Amino acid sequence: MTLRLYDTMAREKRDFVPIDPERVTMYVCGPTVYNFAHIGNARPVVAFDVLFRMLRHLYGEDHVVYAANVTDVDDKINQKAADEGVPIDVITARYLDAYHADMSELGALPLSAEPRATRTMDAIIEMIGRLVRSNAAYAAEGHVLFNTQAYSEYGKLSGRSMDDMIAGARVDVAPYKQHPADFVLWKPSKPGEPVWDSPFGPGRPGWHIECTAMIEQTLGIPIDIHGGGNDLIFPHHENELAQGICAHGHAHGAEGGYARYWLHNGFLNMGSEKMSKSLGNVQLVHDLVTRWPGEALRWALLGSHYRQPLTWTDEVIEQARGTLDYLYGVLRRVEDVPAADTGPGEAFMEAMLDDLNTPKAYAELFALGQALEKAPAKGKAEAKGRLLASANLIGFLHARPEAWFQGGVDVALKEKVEALIADRVAARAAKDWPAADRIRDELNALNVEVMDSATGATWRLKGTV
Ligand code: AMP
Ligand code: ZN
């Protein structure tokens, strides 16, 4: 069974064949850290986390290198720092910490590398110098611009004509540009903005060159997989590609000379509009995780295929939690059965290998849950192993069922319930039945159901499976 991935460059699904199976490389454009991430920003994170997990499964955990950058120098960061009257690294440290915490709540594994623009400055400046020396870039009035006329395949990734690109990029028609499509590699800093010395004058890099330099420094060019939201295809990825090819010689051309597979996720929408800060319709991950289990949010994010649009509603999250309630409920009923070491189910794997078809894979998980319920006693260990290995592979069902059913409960309530249960155990041990009954009534009033078993009492909120 081969992993097949839809490649934006080829405009079709292709068998995934890495350059070196001992070191599979993936890069995804990461966040600009000046605010909390919204759930739309989390969509690429979770989608590519699933791919990272699949690659680790196929090639071995130590044979996949996954990097995503942090853009920590940017106009919006500068603005925020100026508004608050603090240095920019106070802003970036605060929101990068929050970002890590939020993405971890959504079950995203830590990256192999997380390069940062401010720490890659030497490599960025060196790469710009190389582009200038090979006439793929030129200096003009304190700026350095990429010379789009020097690269005949410009536009190949996005499939746009030069006229479309000029219109679509909304690039400034600046007098120092040789061609209107040329884009900035280096620009002078305005007063108060961060500034670095360079052979082209003091200034700071353009956004596109940061990624290309970080890829070269962290992973090496070419890489196997380059990912991001489909809003990044043009101009960001088109420009990254042009820089990467010109900095490395044209031997392999646009198809594979920089990245062998280009993957892009669709947008997360609120109603008919995409979720975005500028439209003011965002739901922050930071807030959502206080209302919903992170695992339910992850499930909801993967409920549509990653290339399709995803309409985000409370019902989508409710449904996700309901399905997880069902699966954890099945697992709770076989808690005393050890899971056999079976590996993931075949139909589940087939769905995942087909361009990460998570909606189909979900149907298979549900079927595996039903198979586990129906399995005769001697078949339960196998069936449980198959369900767990499948779900775990894409980052689900790692919790103990009990922890899941208590997970949606706020901490104060949880502490109170556990104290009451302890009192009740003590009352029963002392054969103080009126006290035990009183405590049970109190728990009832809290909507908590206590289940006694040989190994002690467990509890859940009524209405959960
Ligand atoms: P931004 O903060 O706009 O630079 O976005 C950071 C990343 O999140 C990029 O990869 C975008 O493609 C992605 N992104 C932003 N908004 C959405 C959305 N509503 N749905 C899916 N991806 C998004
Ligand atoms: Zn990038």
Side-chain angles (χ1 to χ4, degrees):
M1 285 195 289
T2 313
L3 174 63
R4 287 173 66 76
L5 297 172
Y6 184 90
D7 175 14
T8 305
M9 176 72 84
R11 291 162 178 77
E12 63 182 11
K13 286 185 207 171
R14 294 170 53 213
D15 285 358
F16 178 68
V17 183
I19 301 163
D20 175 5
E22 297 289 313
R23 187 173 178 276
V24 180
T25 52
M26 174 160 86
Y27 182 91
V28 174
C29 299
T32 306
V33 279
Y34 68 101
N35 212 329
F36 290 113
H38 60 71
I39 193 74
N41 298 136
R43 192 172 190 205
V45 176
V46 168
F48 289 102
D49 176 72
V50 165
L51 178 53
F52 182 38
R53 288 167 183 266
M54 286 295 292
L55 294 170
R56 283 158 57 100
H57 177 76
L58 296 170
Y59 296 92
E61 287 187 7
D62 298 333
H63 299 289
V64 185
V65 193
Y66 174 21
N69 67 305
V70 174
T71 298
D72 59 357
V73 47
D74 175 88
D75 290 340
K76 294 184 198 117
I77 299 172
N78 297 338
Q79 188 58 50
K80 182 97 173 173
D83 290 349
E84 291 192 19
V86 296
I88 59 168
D89 51 1
V90 171
I91 301 294
T92 54
R94 182 197 303 156
Y95 292 111
L96 185 57
D97 281 352
Y99 182 78
H100 286 149
D102 291 346
M103 296 311 135
S104 154
E105 286 281 336
L106 299 179
L109 294 175
L111 305 166
S112 324
E114 191 174 57
R116 300 173 65 157
T118 54
R119 297 178 188 167
T120 319
M121 216 43 81
D122 289 350
I124 293 172
I125 291 168
E126 189 279 327
M127 183 176 267
I128 296 174
R130 220 184 312 153
L131 290 169
V132 171
R133 283 193 299 280
S134 63
N135 291 324
Y138 57 93
E141 296 182 27
H143 294 70
V144 180
L145 292 139
F146 185 84
N147 174 11
T148 50
Q149 299 305 293
Y151 178 53
S152 62
E153 291 187 293
Y154 191 60
K156 191 161 190 177
L157 176 65
S158 57
R160 292 177 187 225
S161 70
M162 192 52 98
D163 285 349
D164 284 350
M165 286 191 284
I166 294 165
R170 285 190 226 104
V171 279
D172 303 334
V173 187
Y176 46 79
K177 279 187 184 177
Q178 291 177 4
H179 187 274
D182 294 354
F183 56 87
V184 165
L185 302 176
W186 190 262
K187 58 191 167 193
S189 301
K190 298 195 187 82
E193 288 179 351
V195 58
W196 285 265
D197 276 331
S198 84
F200 337 106
R204 60 198 179 104
W207 170 40
H208 315 303
I209 194 73
E210 293 175 10
C211 278
T212 307
M214 283 189 267
I215 287 181
E216 179 173 73
Q217 190 175 59
T218 315
L219 301 172
I221 294 175
I223 54 171
D224 290 310
I225 297 169
H226 195 318
N230 61 16
D231 57 325
L232 300 183
I233 298 173
F234 185 83
H236 184 54
H237 288 168
E238 195 75 73
N239 292 355
E240 267 194 48
L241 169 61
Q243 297 162 162
I245 295 289
C246 292
H248 274 263
H250 296 250
H252 299 286
E255 283 165 21
Y258 180 62
R260 308 239 305 173
Y261 299 81
W262 289 92
L263 270 65
H264 292 100
N265 65 273
F267 262 64
L268 180 149
N269 298 320
M270 295 289 279
S272 58
E273 287 177 325
K274 70 175 190 177
M275 183 180 285
S276 95
K277 231 163 288 170
S278 55
L279 292 172
N281 60 358
V282 299
Q283 292 185 4
L284 302 181
V285 179
H286 214 65
D287 296 331
L288 284 168
V289 293
T290 64
R291 293 201 287 127
W292 305 92
E295 191 171 354
L297 296 169
R298 179 182 175 92
W299 188 280
L301 283 171
L302 295 169
S304 296
H305 185 262
Y306 75 91
R307 285 194 283 117
Q308 299 303 319
L310 165 63
T311 303
W312 189 254
T313 59
D314 273 4
E315 290 74 56
V316 167
I317 318 173
E318 268 311 347
Q319 272 175 17
R321 180 158 71 180
T323 309
L324 285 164
D325 277 343
Y326 167 72
L327 293 172
Y328 274 117
V330 171
L331 285 171
R332 183 163 56 187
R333 290 189 279 280
V334 291
E335 253 198 319
D336 47 346
V337 177
D341 188 9
T342 57
E346 203 172 309
F348 169 85
M349 268 313 266
E350 225 166 84
M352 287 307 299
L353 289 170
D354 180 16
D355 195 31
L356 313 177
N357 191 340
T358 48
K360 195 145 177 246
Y362 279 5
E364 296 304 334
L365 289 180
F366 195 78
L368 288 170
Q370 290 182 315
L372 172 54
E373 291 253 74
K374 288 196 205 113
K378 62 177 171 38
K380 291 237 186 268
E382 287 252 325
K384 181 174 174 180
R386 208 162 292 123
L387 171 61
L388 278 178
S390 307
N392 289 173
L393 175 53
I394 57 172
F396 293 113
L397 303 186
H398 284 290
R400 281 186 311 108
E402 221 46 60
W404 165 261
F405 285 112
Q406 291 161 11
V409 181
D410 71 76
V411 179
L413 175 62
K414 193 168 167 181
E415 279 170 7
K416 188 166 179 187
V417 168
E418 272 156 22
L420 283 170
I421 289 177
D423 289 349
R424 184 167 157 271
V425 170
R428 285 161 65 109
K431 299 198 180 346
D432 183 352
W433 308 119
D437 285 349
R438 218 172 33 244
I439 296 168
R440 168 153 282 201
D441 289 346
E442 236 182 287
L443 286 163
N444 258 327
L446 291 171
N447 201 31
V448 166
E449 182 182 353
V450 179
M451 293 153 294
D452 295 304
S453 76
T455 50
T458 57
W459 63 279
R460 66 186 169 198
L461 284 182
K462 287 179 199 159
T464 53
V465 178

